[in-house]
Amino acid sequence: MKKNIFVKNAAFLLASALLFVSCSKKSDEAIVSESENVVEEPSAEEIALEKARKEEERLSKAISDYTENLSQTEKLSQLFLVNLQGKEDFAPVEFEGEKAIIPGGYIFFSFNIAFTASEIIGFTDSVASYCENNSLVPPYLSIDQEGGLVNRLRGITSSVPSCRTIAANYSEKEAAALYESQAKQLSLLGFHLNLAPVAEAVDDENRDFLGTRSYGDVAKVKKYASIAVRSYEQNAIGTVLKHFPGNTNTDPHTGLPEIEASDEKLREMIVEPFKAIIDSANPAAVLMSHARTAAHDAEKPACFSRYWVSDVLRGEMAFSGLIFSDDIFMAALEKNGYPPEKAVVMAIEAGVDCIMLSEKRFKSVLEVLRKKAQEDETFAEKLDEALERVIRFKLREGVLLLETAEDGESATIVNAKRKSAEERLSAFEEEKQKGDSYVK
C-alpha cells in the first residue's frame, strides 16, 4: 500500500508573517521557503487491511486456478450433497466414461455407520484414498449429529443429549465442553461437517415436529446454538444452522409445511435468532427448509424462494457461507409440483449453493444443471459463484489445503493430509473418555 504523504507549510507561513509585521523594504521580493515532506507510517489498522486484501487476492487466484483445471462435470458435482454406498470400503456408483463422478459432499446415514470407531475411520479414509489415487476432488463427509433422538453415532462417540436437555440442564461452560469433545471425536473419525444445530425456537406451531430437537425459546436458542456452532467450528467441524425460515408441525417428508405466521412473528422467532447466531458464531452453512410462508413468496417452498435465500439470508443478514437446500427427493416436493429436475434449477436460481439428495445417484439432475447453464448465462454465473463458495468451505474445514509459495505472493490448493488411522483411533479413544465425563 502507498504511504500517505502530507506536506506541511508551517515554515513558509511563519516566515511570511514575520516579514509582513516588520514591513521589510524587501517585501516586494519573492519569498521562497522549502516545504517539509513528512512521511507518516501506516496505522496498525491500515497494515491489517492491506494484509487481508493481499491474502484475499492470493486465495481468489488459487481458487480460480484450481477450478479452471476441473472438467464441467467435476465443477457441477461440487454443488451436490448425496448419500454414499456401504460402510466398509468406498466404491463410487456413477461414472463419466471411466472416471467416477464424486459429489461435493457425502452424507452418512445410519446404514453407513460401521460398528466400531476403527471401522468408521477405515471407511472414511477409503473415501479420501480413492479420490487421491484417482486425482479427484475430495468430498467433505457429513453427518446428522444433533444429539438426543437424532444421533447417528450412538454407541460410537460419547453421548450427546438432546438440545432441549442441554438447554435445561447444562451451563454455558458445560455445553461448550461437551460439544467441543464431540467435535474432536467427529473429526478424528474423518468427518468435516455436522448438519446441526437446529436454530428454530419452539412454539405451538412447530412443537410436535421439533420436539426435543429445539433448545426452546428464542433466548435459549440464541445462547446454546451459538455455543454449539463455536464449539464445533473451533475444532475442525463445520456446522449447519437449520431450518431457515422454520417449520410447522407438518413433517416435510410427507407434506409441505405452511407457515401462517406474520412477518413480525417470523422475524422474532426465526430471522432475529438466525442472524444473532450468524453474527456471533459464524457457522459454515445454513440449511433451507421446504416450508412455504404466507408472509412472503407464499407460493414457493423457502429453498426455492429468492426472497428468503437471496434477499434475506444473503442480503439482509449478510451471510457469506454455504446455503443448502433440504433434500429435494422428499416426496412432499414432487407431490406438490416440484420434481427433482425442476427443484434443482429453482434452488440454484433462488441462490442455493448446494443441493441435498438422500439418493446415491445425482447424475441425472447434474445434467439438468449443465443444460440450463448452456442456455442461460446468468444461471451459469450462479453456478460459478456456488462452486467458489464450496471450495472456500473445503479450505475452511480442512478438506483442501492452501499452500503458500516461498515468495508469499502465490498459493496452490492441494488435498489435505491425514494422520494415520492408528494415531487417530488412539486419540479418539482418549477424547471419548473425556466426552463421557461431560455427560450428566
Side-chain angles (χ1 to χ4, degrees):
M1 183 173 68
K2 294 181 179 179
K3 296 181 179 179
N4 293 320
I5 299 176
F6 296 92
V7 179
K8 296 187 177 180
N9 297 308
F12 175 82
L13 295 173
L14 178 60
S16 299
L18 290 172
L19 287 170
F20 177 79
V21 171
S22 64
C23 298
S24 171
K25 291 180 180 181
K26 295 183 179 180
S27 61
D28 58 338
E29 297 179 2
I31 300 171
V32 179
S33 175
E34 292 185 1
S35 350
E36 182 182 0
N37 291 331
V38 178
V39 178
E40 290 191 354
E41 292 298 322
S43 67
E45 181 181 2
E46 289 173 322
I47 292 173
L49 287 172
E50 177 64 6
K51 181 181 179 181
R53 184 188 66 78
K54 287 184 176 180
E55 288 178 350
E56 175 57 30
E57 283 185 355
R58 188 164 56 243
L59 174 59
S60 295
K61 178 64 165 56
I63 293 173
S64 177
D65 292 343
Y66 184 77
T67 55
E68 279 180 6
N69 290 319
L70 301 179
S71 69
Q72 188 185 37
T73 297
E74 287 175 309
K75 292 177 181 179
L76 293 173
S77 297
Q78 296 305 303
L79 311 187
F80 290 90
L81 171 61
V82 306
N83 187 220
L84 75 173
Q85 182 169 276
K87 60 182 178 181
E88 296 177 352
D89 292 315
F90 173 73
V93 297
E94 292 187 295
F95 292 82
E96 186 172 72
E98 295 183 355
K99 193 169 187 177
I101 301 177
I102 303 297
Y106 282 115
I107 181 170
F108 282 58
F109 293 133
S110 296
F111 50 77
N112 300 122
I113 305 300
F115 297 109
T116 68
S118 177
E119 291 173 318
I120 294 172
I121 291 172
F123 186 38
T124 58
D125 275 359
S126 74
V127 178
S129 295
Y130 181 92
C131 294
E132 188 171 338
N133 294 337
N134 291 278
S135 301
L136 298 165
V137 182
Y140 56 89
L141 306 182
S142 66
I143 193 165
D144 266 317
Q145 189 71 354
E146 295 176 15
L149 296 174
V150 184
N151 189 341
R152 308 288 189 214
L153 294 166
R154 184 178 284 105
I156 301 294
T157 65
S158 56
S159 178
V160 188
S162 70
C163 294
R164 185 166 71 187
T165 297
I166 286 178
N169 300 297
Y170 285 68
S171 68
E172 294 179 43
K173 184 177 180 180
E174 290 169 336
L178 184 140
Y179 283 135
E180 285 169 8
S181 179
Q182 189 68 198
K184 291 174 183 177
Q185 292 172 65
L186 291 183
S187 182
L188 289 165
L189 290 174
F191 295 102
H192 308 102
L193 182 68
N194 186 8
L195 294 165
V198 171
E200 297 171 68
V202 72
D203 66 5
D204 290 341
E205 301 302 316
N206 60 20
R207 193 181 311 278
D208 292 343
F209 173 65
L210 290 179
T212 61
R213 299 172 68 193
S214 171
Y215 290 107
D217 61 25
V218 168
K220 287 182 178 179
V221 166
K222 287 196 291 186
K223 179 192 294 185
Y224 285 98
S226 295
I227 290 169
V229 170
R230 282 193 293 269
S231 299
Y232 279 107
E233 295 283 355
Q234 291 171 6
N235 290 280
I237 293 292
T239 51
V240 184
L241 287 189
K242 60 186 189 185
H243 311 78
F244 188 77
N247 277 289
T248 68
N249 287 323
T250 299
D251 188 334
H253 293 85
T254 59
L256 291 185
E258 303 285 354
I259 299 177
E260 300 297 336
S262 65
D263 176 74
E264 182 180 5
K265 185 175 181 182
L266 278 172
R267 289 187 171 276
E268 175 191 349
M269 296 289 291
I270 298 292
V271 176
E272 199 277 328
F274 268 76
K275 179 166 174 45
I277 298 162
I278 288 169
D279 289 346
S280 67
N282 190 26
V286 170
L287 176 67
M288 302 302 298
S289 75
H290 288 327
R292 292 190 288 213
T293 60
H296 299 284
D297 215 353
E299 299 302 314
K300 295 177 185 175
C303 57
F304 307 145
S305 167
R306 290 183 185 180
Y307 173 80
W308 287 114
V309 179
S310 294
D311 295 350
V312 178
L313 187 54
R314 196 67 85 192
E316 180 183 325
M317 296 166 68
F319 179 66
S320 60
L322 282 182
I323 299 179
F324 285 91
S325 76
D326 207 341
D327 181 10
I328 66 166
F329 267 68
M330 285 184 180
L333 286 180
E334 188 156 10
K335 290 178 180 178
N336 284 276
Y338 303 102
E341 59 271 16
K342 181 178 180 180
V344 69
V345 171
M346 292 183 69
I348 296 295
E349 287 181 329
V352 166
D353 302 306
C354 196
I355 309 298
M356 185 191 299
L357 293 85
S358 56
E359 303 290 318
K360 297 175 178 61
R361 299 178 182 274
F362 65 101
K363 186 178 179 181
S364 61
V365 285
L366 181 152
E367 293 301 334
V368 173
L369 294 185
R370 192 199 308 274
K371 184 175 185 297
K372 179 68 174 176
Q374 291 170 347
E375 301 169 347
D376 187 335
E377 184 176 344
T378 300
F379 188 82
E381 290 173 357
K382 284 182 175 289
L383 295 176
D384 288 340
E385 292 169 2
L387 171 62
E388 180 176 344
R389 278 191 280 267
V390 172
I391 300 302
R392 284 177 180 268
F393 163 78
K394 290 189 174 186
L395 288 165
R396 166 176 167 156
E397 303 302 339
V399 183
L400 297 171
L401 181 67
L402 188 70
E403 287 189 344
T404 304
E406 291 184 3
D407 61 10
E409 296 299 320
S410 60
T412 305
I413 295 176
V414 299
N415 292 359
K417 303 300 180 184
R418 306 181 306 281
K419 290 184 178 180
S420 71
E422 291 76 15
E423 287 181 281
R424 285 158 52 209
L425 180 60
S426 175
F428 173 82
E429 296 297 346
E430 290 182 12
E431 192 58 49
K432 183 178 184 298
Q433 288 184 352
K434 290 182 184 177
D436 285 335
S437 71
Y438 300 138
V439 180
K440 292 185 176 183

